[in-house]
Amino acid sequence: MRLSINNREVEAQPNTTVLAALWNSGVPAPSLCAMGVCMACRVTIDGARHQLACQTECTEGMRVEL
């Protein structure tokens, strides 16, 4: 599936979290726990601020901004 990260189109596998897609695309995304406790991985997804990248699965056409 394709999604946009900081206005750059990237490919992600199904069932991939946004955090994994960030790391796989070379974006240095912050994360301490990768399980939703620390909230260091908050991003904007489709205009909604403060979403947890480690707890959100990628969807087709999703727009992610750091």
Side-chain angles (χ1 to χ4, degrees):
M1 77 184 62
R2 297 191 82 51
L3 62 145
S4 170
I5 297 177
N6 291 338
N7 296 316
R8 189 178 114 221
E9 197 167 293
V10 299
E11 186 77 27
Q13 297 298 317
N15 304 314
T16 300
T17 64
V18 172
L19 183 61
L22 290 167
W23 288 343
N24 291 338
S25 66
V27 176
S31 176
L32 299 174
C33 71
M35 59 186 191
V37 177
C38 72
M39 297 190 185
C41 66
R42 289 181 294 178
V43 296
T44 300
I45 299 175
D46 294 330
R49 297 174 58 201
H50 306 296
Q51 304 299 305
L52 295 178
C54 71
Q55 297 295 300
T56 306
E57 283 192 19
C58 294
T59 59
E60 184 68 37
M62 176 183 274
R63 290 175 299 123
V64 179
E65 298 172 33
L66 287 128

